[in-house]
């Protein structure tokens, strides 16, 4: 790639993955972020960090599984904190038909019995008769992962200017990658926000090695261990663009789920409540759209960490093609 200069707007997971992919391919990159610090105002800061392409297959397009599987490899190369322990799907026994229905809609799993559940997650011993185990799935702590991407960028000389509110048309550079998440709706009228809420708790009486999904009629509930007794419980998915704090109903449902998984969560401390809007297009799949020198990379929906590496690759591929096109007249002149 010719050393094109690229401005990336937004230091969420989309912006940081795009910036790193472009820098690794030789572009001169600068990132601008309107938040004053990493994570401030970013949906990515609220994410659970599940990299679960095959579980997601139960409710999403096959493309999510294909792109997501490749992204797990990308994270393993860029973030040493990636945990590859798989994930577990459980259901309270009265709803066991739901587990079978979930299994019908996905693949890459094993049916496991109570003994295997106890071997994988000793603290869940005796609580479930059957579960689905997805051994190839992974998870990460999104906040540590974003911080690591910033370090990787710094190693390549890519600066991030925090506290800079910039619109793509005003941005310098041969190309601009608009990764403003939901804020890009001024340019993407078909982008919608899907409200997600989460609770973070600390509980030292239980240890989990992997994310646990609990099938629920309304909420795709899960608990992700973050280490040091910290657990993220997520996440509501509400077709609403209301910003603002977590509702009592959502907090009750999320905390009930944790308590149902294990009563030890009854004594947990609530550390944080968080909410944001996931940026999504109508089909809930991400897209890269080009308008002149501006590329808009958006629509990560509930798959920000799962699909950002694939989105970044698409952005870098698109810019490389443009660079070759731009080079042709120069070569002819030579
Ligand atoms: C509760 C919850 C749980 C989730 N769990 C998961 C999960 O387990 N796995 C998963 O893969 N995904 C998950 N997601 C989805 C994921 O968080 C989103 O898909 C992802 O964060 C979208 O990333 P983004 O970079 O497009 O947007 P953002 O993270 O919002 O980043 C956009 C950035 O652009 C900046 N910005 C906006 N306007 C400007 C401007 N004019 N100038 C400069 N900067 C600007 C913003 O400040 C922001 O930092 C979850 C989401 C929520 C809410």
């Amino acid at each position: 790639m010719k050393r094109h200069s690229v401005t990336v707007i937004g230091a969420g997971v989309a912006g940081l993955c795009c910036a790193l992919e472009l820098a690794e391919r030789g572009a001169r990159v600068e990132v601008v972020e309107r938040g004053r610090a990493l994570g401030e105002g970013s949906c990515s800061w609220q994410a659970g960090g599940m990299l679960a392409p095959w579980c997601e297959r139960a409710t999403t397009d096959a493309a999510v599984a294909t792109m997501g599987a490749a992204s797990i490899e990308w994270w393993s190369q860029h973030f040493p904190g990636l945990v590859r322990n798989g994930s577990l799907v459980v259901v309270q026994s009265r709803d066991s038909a739901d587990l079978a229905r979930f299994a019908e809609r996905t693949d890459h799993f094993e049916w496991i019995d109570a003994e295997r559940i106890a071997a994988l997650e000793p603290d869940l011993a005796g609580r479930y008769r059957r579960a689905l185990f997805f051994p190839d799935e992974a998870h990460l702590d999104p906040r540590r992962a974003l911080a690591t991407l910033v370090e990787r960028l710094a190693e390549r000389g890519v600066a991030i200017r925090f506290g800079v509110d910039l619109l793509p048309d005003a941005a310098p550079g041969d190309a601009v990658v608009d990764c403003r998440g939901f804020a890009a709706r001024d340019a993407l009228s078909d982008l919608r926000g899907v409200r997600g809420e989460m609770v973070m708790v600390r509980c030292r009486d239980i240890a989990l090695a992997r994310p646990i999904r609990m099938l629920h009629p309304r909420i795709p509930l899960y608990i992700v261990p973050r280490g040091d007794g910290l657990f993220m419980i997520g996440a509501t998915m509400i077709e609403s663009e209301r910003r603002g704090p977590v509702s009592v109903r959502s907090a009750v449902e999320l905390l009930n789920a944790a308590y149902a998984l294990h009563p030890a969560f009854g004594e947990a401390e609530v550390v944080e409540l968080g909410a944001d809007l996931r940026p999504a297009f109508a089909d809930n799949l991400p897209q890269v759209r080009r308008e002149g020198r501006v590329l808009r990379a958006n629509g990560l929906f509930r798959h920000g960490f799962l699909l950002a590496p694939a989105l970044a690759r698409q952005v870098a591929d698109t810019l490389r093609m443009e660079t070759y096109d731009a080079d042709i007249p120069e070569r002819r002149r030579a």
Side-chain angles (χ1 to χ4, degrees), residues 67 69 77 79 117 140 159 175 217 230 236 239 245 247 252 293 327:
M67 291 188 283
Q77 286 157 22
F79 177 54
I117 296 170
L140 47 73
L230 208 56
T236 58
E239 289 291 340
S247 70
V252 165
R293 72 185 181 113
D327 280 349

Side-chain angles (χ1 to χ4, degrees), residues 9-15 32-35 40-44 46-50 164-167 179-181 183 196-198 222 232 235 276 278-279 298 300-306:
I9 307 182
V13 70
V32 293
E33 164 56 50
R34 74 177 172 190
E40 189 186 287
S42 156
C43 180
S44 304
Q46 308 300 335
M50 285 192 305
V164 178
D165 193 328
L166 195 64
L167 290 178
C179 296
R180 290 178 293 148
E197 297 154 300
M198 65 91 173
Y222 54 82
M232 184 275 197
D276 213 316
R278 305 175 181 94
N298 216 316
L300 284 168
F301 182 48
R302 53 179 279 149
H303 306 123
F305 286 78
L306 183 62

Side-chain angles (χ1 to χ4, degrees), residues 157-173:
V158 178
I160 302 183
R161 289 200 287 139
F162 287 103
V164 178
D165 193 328
L166 195 64
L167 290 178
D169 288 346

Side-chain angles (χ1 to χ4, degrees), residues 15 198 221 273:
M198 65 91 173
L221 283 168
L273 295 157

